[in-house]
Amino acid sequence: MMKVAENKRTKRQDTTILDVLFSSFKSKDLPIIDIMPYKRVTKEGFLVDKHNENQAYLRVKTNDLVSMNNSDLNRMISQLTSICRVYTEPFKILSMTYSTETSKQQMFWKSRINKYRRVLMDDNAPELEFTRHEVMLRLAVDNLRRVTWVEDNLTELTFFIVVYGKNQKELEIRVRDMTRLGGKQYDLQLLNRDNIEKILIRLNNMNTEV
């Protein structure tokens, strides 16, 4: 009897040790505010965190630094140096890889294609004009195909500057200050709600394509 009791006690102790050991591996349901500590995005495009403080995401204008001449490159560097020296409030720089955005170019070439087709459909158009627009139509179709291919197959490195404020009024002032300091070189644009949501999804799911 004593041996059986000792076996049971030893088994119970082993079970307790195992429970403690594996408890850290068990899934625990956490509030969503702890997993992604943001409450909402305002209509102005400001992100409100769980402490009711505000953030704004400013997109930096895309530039081809590789093909940029030394003078323009030095201006870009000097502008960033000026921002770091003059803007004394906290800010953060994010970089993300996105698919190349060519929607404006696509709209342009589509409008040109429609224009050239209208001319070609005009039976009264002079032969020389007809021939010229035929060539222009082929070029426009080719350019549309190229910019569409670029958007579908190539990516670009995009930078964002994040600024912070204790409330919306303070953040509005800091967004204006940062936008002014960015100047033409950075051409900072405040992101809207949809784009901020995409960034948050990307930050919390780094393997997810957006």
Side-chain angles (χ1 to χ4, degrees):
M1 289 291 292
M2 187 179 295
K3 190 172 184 180
V4 172
E6 285 178 356
N7 287 339
K8 286 183 178 180
R9 188 162 52 250
T10 303
K11 187 175 182 181
R12 192 160 48 246
Q13 288 175 350
D14 291 343
T15 303
T16 304
I17 293 171
L18 289 174
D19 287 341
V20 173
L21 181 62
F22 288 106
S23 63
S24 59
F25 297 97
K26 292 180 180 178
S27 60
K28 298 178 181 179
D29 293 331
L30 296 174
I32 189 65
I33 196 73
D34 290 335
I35 299 172
M36 185 179 287
Y38 305 109
K39 288 185 176 181
R40 65 183 184 279
V41 182
T42 68
K43 62 180 180 180
E44 293 82 9
F46 297 158
L47 179 62
V48 182
D49 66 18
K50 66 178 181 180
H51 301 297
N52 289 319
E53 295 189 353
N54 290 247
Q55 309 175 18
Y57 286 70
L58 305 170
R59 187 197 298 270
V60 179
K61 181 179 69 174
T62 302
N63 292 281
D64 186 359
L65 300 180
V66 176
S67 61
M68 190 176 288
N69 60 51
N70 288 334
S71 177
D72 290 338
L73 186 58
N74 287 332
R75 275 198 292 271
M76 295 286 294
I77 297 171
S78 297
Q79 196 73 27
L80 182 58
T81 303
S82 177
I83 290 174
C84 295
R85 186 177 65 249
V86 177
Y87 188 84
T88 57
E89 301 297 335
F91 73 93
K92 179 168 59 178
I93 297 177
L94 293 177
S95 64
M96 292 186 178
T97 302
Y98 278 84
S99 59
T100 305
E101 174 65 47
T102 63
S103 56
K104 290 183 179 179
Q105 292 89 337
Q106 291 182 45
M107 289 177 60
F108 173 80
W109 288 115
K110 284 178 181 178
S111 66
R112 283 289 181 268
I113 289 171
N114 291 333
K115 178 182 177 181
Y116 300 151
R117 282 176 174 168
R118 284 195 298 269
V119 173
L120 294 175
M121 291 174 65
D122 184 3
D123 296 333
N124 298 321
E127 185 176 349
L128 183 61
E129 193 76 5
F130 187 90
T131 303
R132 186 169 70 90
H133 278 80
E134 255 189 338
V135 174
M136 293 169 69
L137 176 61
R138 284 197 295 270
L139 289 173
V141 170
D142 187 50
N143 284 327
L144 176 61
R145 188 182 300 113
R146 288 182 181 181
V147 296
T148 303
W149 183 90
V150 166
E151 183 169 297
D152 292 339
N153 295 276
L154 300 183
T155 58
E156 63 182 10
L157 188 61
T158 305
F159 291 89
F160 305 92
I161 293 180
V162 187
V163 294
Y164 303 89
K166 292 182 179 179
N167 51 56
Q168 183 170 324
K169 185 176 181 180
E170 183 178 84
L171 185 59
E172 287 174 350
I173 295 172
R174 292 181 180 175
V175 167
R176 283 200 300 269
D177 291 342
M178 181 61 79
T179 303
R180 177 176 53 81
L181 290 171
K184 292 182 178 179
Q185 278 75 24
Y186 288 89
D187 189 24
L188 299 174
Q189 300 293 324
L190 179 65
L191 295 187
N192 59 25
R193 180 183 301 179
D194 291 340
N195 285 316
I196 290 177
E197 289 177 354
K198 289 179 181 179
I199 289 178
L200 293 179
I201 292 172
R202 188 74 179 276
L203 288 174
N204 290 274
N205 302 273
M206 297 305 291
N207 294 323
T208 301
E209 293 187 4
V210 177

